[in-house]
Amino acid sequence: MLTVYNCIVNQHDLRLVALAALICGISCFSAVNLLHHIGRSTDRNRLAWLTIASTSTGFGIWATHFIAMLAFTPGIPNAYDPGLSVLSLAGAVAVTAAGMWVATLRDELDYHLVGGAVLGGGIAAMHYIGMAAFEVEGRIEWNLLLVAVSLLAGVTLAALALRVVLRGSSLPATLAGAVLLTLAICGLHFIAMAAVSIFPDSSIAISQHTVAPTSQAFAAAAATLVILVLSATALWIDLRFRRQKLEVDRMHGLANAAVEGLIVCDGNRIVSVNDSMARLTGMVATTLNGRELGDLFDERTASDLINFQGQPWEAELSNRDGMRIPVELIARSIDYCGKPHNVVAVRDIRERKKAEQEILRLAHFDPLTGLANRRSFSSRLDTEIAATSRDAKAGKGARGGHLALLLLDLDRFKEVNDLYGHGAGDAMLQKVANCVSGVLRHGQMLARLGGDEFAIISPNLPDPQAASRIADAVLAAMREENRLAAGGGLVSGSIGIALYPLDAEDQASLISHADTALYRAKTEGRDTYRYFEASMGAEARDKRVMEHELRQAVARDEFYLVYQPQKEISSGKMVGFEALIRWRHPERGDVPPSIFIPLAEDSGAIGQIGDWVLTAACQEAASWENPLTVAVNVSAVQLHNPNFSRKVHETLLKSGLAAARLELEITETALVKDMPRALASLRQVKALGVRVAMDDFGTGYSSLSNLRAFPFDKIKIDGSFIKSVDTNGQVAAIVRAVLGLGRGLGLPVLAEGVETLGELKFLDAEACEIGQGYYLGKPAPIEAFGNLTGHGKRVRARGADRQDGSLVLLKPSVRSA
């Protein structure tokens, strides 16, 4: 170390040594900055950066050496071989380039150290070739130990310098790397100079082709100028890069805030992508940089992104797994890092596509059953009508000349909804869809038009009878499903059939005629089918109109009540009335209950009508001074409604009628549809104090079990058993049995339909308690019974009022008759 110190202090001009160190430091700082750019550059511009960096570093090493050699004063004449001087410069540049190339191949320790060692070897090669170019009138001897130390110092410090520089791009790392590289160059030079001993020898002559030290100084100055220019260039490039990096980082931060994928591209090459784009492709963002647009999109889309700017368009993006993702693209031109680029917004539209498909499905298919809906049905029917018409005109009889439309409607489906809830109704519709679909052949279409209405389009039928075979198969499949299903299965269905072109020549007429045939099937027994006949039209249309008018009758106040007296048979004492509904249509006049009641049950309007009757009867009875009972018929729909008992309670509270004065009449048919629910409703009503009567006893089924299971207060014998009871022995036996059953159960019996004195006498003789019928009093508006209810002036019966305060008519009792 002392030898090196003495060499520098005693054999060198310290001013030139300082200059050499300064030039070396500038050169090394420029080299490490340029080295960062080599590591960040792509293959295309990597060679350019490597050339600039190696040239700057090689010239710096060369200039440092020869300026330091100018500072060396051996005290005897000396000069420099120009060829070897140039070779030392070329060697410095070439070996430095090799070292930097190796060090930046991969960001790994061994590559950094090996590349730095090669760079150190370049420094050594330049020095010792430069020393070979040094000629002097004397003999040069080398201290091999110091030569080895110089080589070790240069290689080690250069390796450490590149490792520090390439581990990070921060300013401290850059400065530390520059210092280490400066020490590597200067350390090797001065340790190697300390290894030199020169012994004057006048016999050794300097070659005539050498360059004088003064001329070499000019070459060193030129090299220094090159270094300064390259260093300034490197500094400018580094500052520009840092500004660009700040801009890129800022834009990348903004881009990452976007939900949509963003691609910045230079022509067809991807420069940058945001995180959303990386997630969309399933790739790391850095791996996408430098790739071509054609790697993500098809060639046509990639070309459009380059050449067109404008409205969004749809394309497909290839992700890492090769899956094609539908996307929406829009391209715009932007200034990016001072250069025009294209930015492409990539929006994932998979969810939108799914929504569009779902909207399309909802537009054409029924969401509950998955069948075609009314829109699809109408479109298909138009298509088949047109095809059948074309074939008929072309004479293609072999294809089939008939198109059948079958309308299927479930029988009493509304009752299922009302009794069991809409969930059960939906499940039933799905069963029907599956059942009927299994019967149809290819080319036939099943559609759900709405509610419980289905339609079957069957083209290419060879004859009209083929439609009946389809209807038979459908009904048979539903019956079989009923048989196999546990706990009820399906309701039955009715089918109406219309044929094109036999029955109609357009879609509207064909549907209307099939609907007319369907209505006939329902009125003639259900669970069957009917073909359209011309005579059906007027009748069906009238019933459809009446059904519509019936739904509006309550709101239009077209219903009114009449009341039929109920009396004790033995005494003629008035006990109450049965409220009976009547419909006075503004154009049709009085419509008989036998016509509109079944229509109300079929259409589902019976629930609303029944609620109106209950409310109106209770309000009327509450106004009577005489506390007579009022009987109201209750439909199955009302009884099985979960809110029925609450409705009764609210009606009693609003009207002010005592619960004991209300009697609800229930038919056996209403009970058997859902016995547990019916029993629960009746018990809730009984808890209110309301009386319950079994209506039309003997006309249903399971009558005896119903009497035992349900909490009835009265039995009403159907009028069909009372007719001619005094002359028909079989009828008389049935009535006696029912009366005996009532006495055994402790239930009063009311006989309906008493129309003659003979029937009244028979019932009195058999101890029947209560009677109702035309002989005892015809139904009439309540005003006709004002003397009985307490409305208006009382009319005394023959004799006087009974002591118990009740009123009697002129001819109500058997005895007075």
Side-chain angles (χ1 to χ4, degrees):
M1 195 67 191
L2 182 60
T3 303
V4 175
Y5 173 79
N6 289 330
C7 173
I8 296 173
V9 173
N10 298 322
Q11 298 180 13
H12 288 78
D13 185 339
L14 294 180
R15 291 171 298 178
L16 291 176
V17 169
L19 178 61
L22 176 63
I23 291 173
C24 182
I26 293 172
S27 172
C28 291
F29 183 78
S30 173
V32 296
N33 269 313
L34 293 170
L35 197 62
H36 287 308
H37 290 282
I38 297 173
R40 288 189 291 257
S41 62
T42 59
D43 293 338
R44 191 172 64 176
N45 54 17
R46 178 182 175 85
L47 182 61
W49 283 111
L50 185 63
T51 301
I52 295 173
S54 60
T55 301
S56 173
T57 307
F59 270 79
I61 298 169
W62 191 85
T64 299
H65 172 81
F66 280 103
I67 292 174
M69 288 301 294
L70 290 174
F72 179 61
T73 54
I76 54 177
N78 56 85
Y80 296 91
D81 184 280
L84 291 176
S85 296
V86 173
L87 179 63
S88 67
L89 175 60
V93 173
V95 179
T96 298
M100 289 182 172
W101 178 77
V102 172
T104 56
L105 275 178
R106 292 186 184 177
D107 189 17
E108 297 177 7
L109 174 64
D110 49 352
Y111 280 83
H112 296 168
L113 294 180
V114 170
V118 172
L119 177 61
I123 298 170
M126 184 274 133
H127 176 81
Y128 286 105
I129 294 174
M131 287 301 296
F134 181 65
E135 294 187 13
V136 64
E137 290 183 355
R139 187 176 70 258
I140 299 176
E141 295 183 2
W142 295 89
N143 184 333
L144 296 182
L145 176 62
L146 288 178
V147 170
V149 171
S150 71
L151 293 174
L152 179 64
V155 169
T156 302
L157 289 173
L160 289 175
L162 262 63
R163 174 59 179 168
V164 170
V165 170
L166 295 175
R167 283 189 64 185
S169 59
S170 63
L171 181 61
T174 301
L175 292 175
V179 170
L180 286 172
L181 189 58
T182 302
L183 290 176
I185 296 171
C186 293
L188 184 146
H189 177 86
F190 288 109
I191 293 173
M193 291 304 296
V196 174
S197 297
I198 300 176
F199 299 97
D201 187 350
S202 59
S203 64
I204 299 175
I206 298 175
S207 172
Q208 296 180 354
H209 302 291
T210 57
V211 178
T214 304
S215 300
Q216 193 75 353
F218 283 106
T224 302
L225 180 61
V226 171
I227 293 168
L228 292 175
V229 170
L230 290 176
S231 297
T233 302
L235 181 60
W236 176 79
I237 290 173
D238 187 64
L239 292 175
R240 182 170 178 268
F241 174 80
R242 290 179 183 276
R243 286 197 301 270
Q244 288 180 349
K245 189 174 185 303
L246 288 174
E247 182 181 354
V248 169
D249 290 343
R250 180 178 63 84
M251 293 188 67
H252 198 67
L254 292 173
N256 283 334
V259 177
E260 297 175 342
L262 294 176
I263 303 175
V264 179
C265 52
D266 182 8
N268 196 41
R269 184 177 61 86
I270 297 174
V271 175
S272 177
V273 300
N274 67 348
D275 292 344
S276 296
M277 189 66 201
R279 285 193 296 270
L280 190 59
T281 60
M283 305 179 194
V284 180
T286 54
T287 63
L288 289 171
N289 296 339
R291 299 184 68 171
E292 302 293 323
L293 287 173
D295 296 336
L296 300 181
F297 308 99
D298 58 73
E299 292 301 327
R300 181 176 179 180
T301 301
S303 176
D304 290 344
L305 288 173
I306 298 172
N307 299 323
F308 296 102
Q309 310 283 323
Q311 296 299 319
W313 76 95
E314 294 183 4
E316 287 188 336
L317 168 73
S318 297
N319 69 359
R320 181 182 60 185
D321 301 325
M323 185 175 70
R324 309 291 292 180
I325 300 173
V327 293
E328 184 181 71
L329 306 176
I330 184 168
R332 291 285 187 273
S333 179
I334 63 167
D335 182 75
Y336 183 78
C337 299
K339 180 181 177 182
H341 286 72
N342 288 332
V343 62
V344 182
V346 183
R347 177 178 298 168
D348 184 355
I349 57 173
R350 282 177 290 187
E351 291 301 322
R352 190 174 81 186
K353 287 291 185 183
K354 288 181 182 178
E356 289 174 354
Q357 291 174 357
E358 180 64 15
I359 291 171
L360 184 64
R361 188 185 69 81
L362 293 175
H364 295 281
F365 294 93
D366 173 50
L368 177 64
T369 62
L371 299 176
N373 62 7
R374 184 180 291 273
R375 174 182 292 181
S376 295
F377 159 79
S378 180
S379 176
R380 174 68 180 275
L381 187 56
D382 274 338
T383 301
E384 294 297 346
I385 287 175
T388 303
S389 178
R390 285 196 306 270
D391 290 343
K393 291 178 181 178
K396 297 179 181 179
R399 183 180 182 271
H402 298 283
L403 168 66
L405 173 62
L406 293 80
L407 294 186
L408 167 65
D409 192 86
L410 303 185
D411 300 331
R412 301 187 184 280
F413 176 73
K414 189 174 187 307
E415 293 184 14
V416 175
N417 273 336
D418 292 337
L419 299 180
Y420 303 104
H422 289 283
D426 289 346
M428 181 169 292
L429 291 173
Q430 291 170 338
K431 275 188 177 183
V432 170
N434 293 332
C435 182
V436 177
S437 296
V439 172
L440 302 182
R441 300 193 311 272
H442 178 71
Q444 297 172 341
M445 176 186 185
L446 174 64
R448 182 186 175 209
L449 305 184
D452 61 331
E453 298 178 84
F454 295 84
I456 299 171
I457 300 174
S458 183
N460 313 327
L461 296 182
D463 54 71
Q465 288 71 34
S468 65
R469 293 191 287 272
I470 297 173
D472 280 328
V474 169
L475 296 177
M478 293 178 66
R479 294 186 196 111
E480 181 65 12
E481 180 69 22
N482 278 331
R483 187 182 68 82
L484 296 177
L490 298 171
V491 293
S492 62
S494 300
I495 298 176
I497 304 172
L499 299 169
Y500 175 87
L502 294 180
D503 297 328
E505 295 183 354
D506 58 76
Q507 181 182 131
S509 300
L510 190 64
I511 295 173
S512 176
H513 292 169
D515 192 52
T516 300
L518 169 64
Y519 195 77
R520 174 60 63 88
K522 281 184 167 293
T523 58
E524 293 186 0
R526 306 174 187 274
D527 193 24
T528 186
Y529 66 88
R530 290 290 183 269
Y531 279 92
F532 171 76
E533 298 173 5
S535 60
M536 296 178 179
E539 179 185 351
R541 282 193 296 272
D542 184 62
K543 287 189 176 180
R544 291 297 189 193
V545 171
M546 183 179 291
E547 181 179 313
H548 175 73
E549 293 172 342
L550 190 60
R551 294 180 183 276
Q552 308 298 322
V554 171
R556 294 174 179 173
D557 198 23
E558 295 174 1
F559 289 121
Y560 67 96
L561 296 180
V562 295
Y563 295 83
Q564 187 170 26
Q566 296 175 341
K567 304 174 184 178
E568 287 185 355
I569 293 177
S570 60
S571 64
K573 177 185 175 181
M574 186 72 180
V575 295
F577 294 94
E578 179 179 4
L580 302 172
I581 188 171
R582 297 293 184 264
W583 181 19
R584 181 166 293 151
H585 191 276
E587 296 176 359
R588 301 175 188 269
D590 287 332
V591 181
S594 59
I595 293 179
F596 76 80
I597 292 296
L599 193 62
E601 292 176 344
D602 289 339
S603 64
I606 192 66
Q608 179 190 19
I609 295 173
D611 290 343
W612 179 87
V613 172
L614 178 65
T615 301
C618 289
Q619 289 176 345
E620 176 59 41
S623 68
W624 302 341
E625 294 181 9
N626 200 16
L628 301 173
T629 62
V630 61
V632 177
N633 287 282
V634 174
S635 68
V637 173
Q638 290 175 278
L639 179 62
H640 295 289
N641 189 319
N643 299 320
F644 176 63
S645 61
R646 186 174 67 184
K647 174 67 177 177
V648 173
H649 190 201
E650 290 176 353
T651 302
L652 292 174
L653 291 176
K654 290 180 180 179
S655 64
L657 181 68
R661 293 179 57 198
L662 176 62
E663 183 174 276
L664 302 180
E665 297 185 356
I666 313 294
T667 63
E668 291 178 288
T669 304
L671 300 176
V672 298
K673 290 182 178 295
D674 187 352
M675 286 192 174
R677 181 174 292 187
L679 180 59
S681 293
L682 291 183
R683 285 176 175 169
Q684 291 170 354
V685 169
K686 287 281 292 181
L688 299 174
V690 176
R691 298 170 60 82
V692 180
M694 176 180 278
D695 196 14
D696 299 337
F697 182 78
T699 60
Y701 45 90
S702 303
S703 300
L704 298 180
S705 63
N706 289 338
L707 285 175
R708 181 172 59 87
F710 291 92
F712 290 110
D713 299 294
K714 183 185 294 183
I715 300 174
K716 294 186 71 176
I717 305 176
D718 187 70
S720 61
F721 295 103
I722 304 302
K723 187 175 180 63
S724 303
V725 70
D726 55 329
T727 59
N728 189 316
Q730 290 182 335
V731 173
I734 293 173
V735 173
R736 288 191 186 100
V738 174
L739 292 172
L741 181 63
R743 284 191 294 270
L745 295 173
L747 297 176
V749 178
L750 184 150
E752 294 185 289
V754 180
E755 297 183 354
T756 66
L757 179 60
E759 293 168 355
L760 184 64
K761 288 182 177 180
F762 175 87
L763 293 171
D764 184 50
E766 297 296 332
C768 180
E769 292 94 332
I770 308 170
Q772 177 182 339
Y774 277 22
Y775 187 76
L776 299 174
K778 295 182 180 181
I782 196 61
E783 290 79 12
F785 305 102
N787 59 325
L788 300 176
T789 61
H791 280 301
K793 183 179 179 180
R794 291 176 181 264
V795 179
R796 290 185 177 272
R798 184 191 312 167
D801 291 349
R802 294 170 57 94
Q803 292 182 356
D804 60 3
S806 63
L807 298 176
V808 296
L809 293 178
L810 186 60
K811 300 182 184 178
S813 75
V814 177
R815 294 175 180 79
S816 63

